[in-house]
């Protein structure tokens, strides 16, 4: 009789354990984000110049986190490495350049990076610590990259200081100057270095992001500046293989919200203009 009771108890215990095991196996495992149903987080690495691009990205970061995207911003002070690192997949995207620069870079480096969405325009300006107007024989510093070099020369031409050959456009170089009545002397410098050479030259044509980093106020300190309808919008840029990914598209959407527009207008007081 004792053997029968033990046998029955053993059978009941085995069935109970089997039932528990079955329940555990069928229960869904929690997601990587935590509890069941919580959105899984994705990290998005974006390269940017510090001002204003990194500042704008940091502004939208909390909104993206709510949507499961952790924005990791890597700051650069040059215009080459952000593209190289996106191309090599060290970064997912970057935000620092206008389309003419991107097109020229792709062509020169045999890359195929693509624009995702325009965000803002940085009107290009001319600055000086020495003169209030451009005089005879003045030394003028220009950015040495092809598109910004041509952009600077086009601005000088619009001010009547030089004349470029017909059709030069944004691809113009100092060799395309056909009229230079003030006998201006040109010094070509890496864009990031332009604020630092202001003491050495009479005039420097400086990209607004670098002007802001140098505590220059474009709307007050520039001798002359591009119109607000400048076609040089700064873009979020990615690769063909990831530009349509959910995380990139969430970032693109957040960069074109009314909140970002207001942030740009309130923070930069016209030195930076929304492009959407």
């Amino acid at each position: 009789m004792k053997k029968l009771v033990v046998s029955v108890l053993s059978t009941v215990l085995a069935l109970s354990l089997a039932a528990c095991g079955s329940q555990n196996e069928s229960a869904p495992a929690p997601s990587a984000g935590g509890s069941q149903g919580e959105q899984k987080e994705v990290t998005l690495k974006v390269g940017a110049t510090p001002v204003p691009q990194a500042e704008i990205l940091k502004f939208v970061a909390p909104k993206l986190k709510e949507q499961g995207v952790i924005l990791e911003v890597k700051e650069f002070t040059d215009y080459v490495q952000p593209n190289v690192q996106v191309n090599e997949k060290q970064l997912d995207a970057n935000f620092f350049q206008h389309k003419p620069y991107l097109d020229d870079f792709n062509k020169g480096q045999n890359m195929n990076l693509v624009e995702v969405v325009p965000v803002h325009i940085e009107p290009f300006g001319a600055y000086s610590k020495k003169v209030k107007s451009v005089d005879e024989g003045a030394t003028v510093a220009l950015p040495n990259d092809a598109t910004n070099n041509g952009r600077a020369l086009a601005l000088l031409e619009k001010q009547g200081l030089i004349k470029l050959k017909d059709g030069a456009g944004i691809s113009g170089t100092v060799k395309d100057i056909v009229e230079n009545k003030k006998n201006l002397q040109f010094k070509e410098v890496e864009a990031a270095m332009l604020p630092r050479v202001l003491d050495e030259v009479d005039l420097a044509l400086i990209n607004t992001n670098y002007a802001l980093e140098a505590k220059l106020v474009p709307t007050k300190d520039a001798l002359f500046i591009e119109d607000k309808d400048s076609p040089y919008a700064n873009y979020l840029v990615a690769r063909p293989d990831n530009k349509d990914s959910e995380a990139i598209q969430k970032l693109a959407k957040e960069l074109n919200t009314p909140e970002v527009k207001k942030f740009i207008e309130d923070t930069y007081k016209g030195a930076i203009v929304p492009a959407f």
Side-chain angles (χ1 to χ4, degrees), residues 46 52 57 65 67 73 100 129 134 156 176 189 205 227 244 270:
V46 182
L57 289 170
K65 188 174 182 179
Q67 301 172 54
V73 181
K129 289 185 177 180
V134 183
L156 291 172
D176 295 317
V189 180
L205 281 292
D227 297 329
D244 295 319

Side-chain angles (χ1 to χ4, degrees), residues 246-257:
E246 185 176 3
I248 292 286
Q249 288 302 310
K250 284 180 177 178
L251 173 57
K253 184 177 180 180
E254 284 302 321
L255 287 171
N256 275 192
T257 60

Side-chain angles (χ1 to χ4, degrees), residues 86-125:
V86 171
N87 187 66
E88 293 178 350
K89 300 187 178 181
Q90 297 176 49
L91 295 172
D92 299 301
N94 65 48
F95 175 31
F96 76 95
Q97 64 196 314
H98 51 65
K99 191 174 184 301
Y101 180 85
L102 175 62
D103 291 343
D104 184 75
F105 193 94
N106 276 335
K107 183 178 179 181
Q109 302 297 320
N110 194 30
M111 293 183 186
N112 189 32
L113 303 181
V114 293
E115 65 271 19
V116 181
V117 67
V119 182
H120 71 275
I121 296 166
E122 301 176 9
F124 203 79

Side-chain angles (χ1 to χ4, degrees), residues 149-151 153-154 157 164-173 176 232:
N149 187 272
R151 184 181 182 184
L153 291 170
E157 183 178 42
L164 299 169
K165 72 179 183 182
D166 291 344
I170 61 171
S171 299
T173 70
D176 295 317
Y232 296 90

Side-chain angles (χ1 to χ4, degrees), residues 67-204:
Q67 301 172 54
V69 178
I70 304 301
L71 189 60
E72 186 177 305
V73 181
K74 182 176 180 180
E75 296 186 10
F76 293 85
T77 57
D78 73 282
Y79 288 166
V80 176
Q81 281 303 308
N83 277 340
V84 170
Q85 292 191 27
V86 171
N87 187 66
E88 293 178 350
K89 300 187 178 181
Q90 297 176 49
L91 295 172
D92 299 301
N94 65 48
F95 175 31
F96 76 95
Q97 64 196 314
H98 51 65
K99 191 174 184 301
Y101 180 85
L102 175 62
D103 291 343
D104 184 75
F105 193 94
N106 276 335
K107 183 178 179 181
Q109 302 297 320
N110 194 30
M111 293 183 186
N112 189 32
L113 303 181
V114 293
E115 65 271 19
V116 181
V117 67
V119 182
H120 71 275
I121 296 166
E122 301 176 9
F124 203 79
Y127 301 83
S128 179
K129 289 185 177 180
K130 298 181 178 180
V131 301
K132 296 296 182 183
S133 62
V134 183
D135 300 318
E136 178 78 20
T139 303
V140 180
L142 307 172
N144 64 3
D145 62 277
T147 51
N148 283 308
N149 187 272
R151 184 181 182 184
L153 291 170
L155 180 56
L156 291 172
E157 183 178 42
K158 190 170 184 178
Q159 295 297 312
L161 297 171
I162 60 171
K163 184 175 177 55
L164 299 169
K165 72 179 183 182
D166 291 344
I170 61 171
S171 299
T173 70
V174 293
K175 294 180 181 179
D176 295 317
I177 298 173
V178 294
E179 189 176 296
N180 183 7
K181 291 182 178 179
K182 287 186 176 289
N183 192 32
L184 303 179
Q185 306 299 310
F186 297 100
K187 181 177 182 178
E188 296 175 316
V189 180
E190 184 182 349
M193 296 296 294
L194 285 164
R196 302 182 191 180
V197 302
L198 267 177
D199 291 325
E200 304 168 18
V201 299
D202 298 303
L203 189 75

